[in-house]
Amino acid sequence: MNNVNPLAKLLAAFILGFVLLLSLDPVSSSVALVLEVALLPFSGLSAHRLWRSLAPVLIAAPFAGIATLLWGRGGGEVLWAWGPWTVSSGNLELAITVVIRVVAVVLPSVILFASTDPTDLADALAQLWKLPVRFVYGALAAIRQLSLMGDDWRMLSLTRRARGIAGARNPVNAVRALGSRSLSFMVIAIRRGSMLATAMEARGFDSDHPRTWARTSLFTYRDGLFVAGAAVIALIAVTAAVLMGEWNFVIH
């Protein structure tokens, strides 16, 4: 999957997400999720990185189900009631459907972009989709700065601790210390951004002249098959829901 063009991954994630959002039913989402999970070994990601990429989705999805369970309007037999909250069989079914749907929609995007280098994506957007080079590579530079900003925050914390001004024990001093550290961090980020903007301008990123490319981005026949595979998964999910009479089109 690492050799697939980033635009093919983007199109595949869009097709799967768009089709699954058209219906709120357990069948299409479940079928799509099973097929997606079956293809995870071919993602090219190690088990550790795969788990780290999926952890936010697996943690966030149950909260969507809990919210639907407590405040949804699914109808059916009342299973539990306490104060303003009423849980019915319809709410429970709807909550499970929402959890499966969230995971099925988000999982392709998480996996596809976890296996994509941001530079390759920027090259594809600028060369194949002809997006403004200044915007694309400006966004790429900003993404590249995220890891450096994390290092800056850790270094700032260690520096303040070495100077003896980070050991706030009561909540008020802890909040003040956090505010002071955040202000210092913002100053560092602004300085780093200004230096990066000056360096990029000096290297001609703001020029109106036609650019040359160190890496050529190509959309090959294999990339087309990759997108077609995503369309087939979406078609199988929709067909299964329709045949079982569970298809529930959300737009009427």
Side-chain angles (χ1 to χ4, degrees), residues 43-65:
S43 64
L45 301 176
S46 63
H48 175 71
R49 188 176 180 186
L50 188 62
W51 166 249
R52 191 172 63 179
S53 300
L54 292 178
V57 180
L58 299 179
I59 293 174
F63 286 98

Side-chain angles (χ1 to χ4, degrees), residues 46-143:
S46 63
H48 175 71
R49 188 176 180 186
L50 188 62
W51 166 249
R52 191 172 63 179
S53 300
L54 292 178
V57 180
L58 299 179
I59 293 174
F63 286 98
I66 293 174
T68 304
L69 185 65
L70 295 178
W71 291 285
R73 296 182 179 179
E77 180 184 356
V78 176
L79 303 177
W80 176 79
W82 185 75
W85 297 289
T86 300
V87 176
S88 64
S89 58
N91 285 359
L92 181 60
E93 180 181 352
L94 184 61
I96 296 175
T97 301
V98 168
V99 172
I100 297 175
R101 189 189 192 201
V102 168
V103 177
V105 170
V106 178
L107 188 145
S109 300
V110 171
I111 297 303
L112 293 177
F113 286 105
S115 61
T116 300
D117 182 77
T119 304
D120 294 336
L121 178 59
D123 289 335
L125 292 175
Q127 296 179 40
L128 300 178
W129 277 7
K130 307 300 181 182
L131 295 184
V133 175
R134 184 177 182 180
F135 169 78
V136 170
Y137 285 99
L140 173 63
I143 293 174

Side-chain angles (χ1 to χ4, degrees), residues 20 23-34 90 92-101 104 237 240-242 244-248:
L20 292 178
S23 173
L24 184 59
D25 69 89
V27 176
S28 61
S29 299
S30 300
V31 171
L33 182 59
V34 169
L92 181 60
E93 180 181 352
L94 184 61
I96 296 175
T97 301
V98 168
V99 172
I100 297 175
R101 189 189 192 201
V242 172
M244 296 184 66
E246 295 290 339
W247 179 259
N248 181 22

Side-chain angles (χ1 to χ4, degrees), residues 195-215:
M195 293 175 60
L196 179 61
T198 302
M200 293 181 68
E201 187 173 356
R203 296 193 176 194
F205 279 90
D206 194 29
S207 175
D208 294 330
H209 295 287
R211 297 186 58 84
T212 57
W213 308 100
R215 299 168 298 273

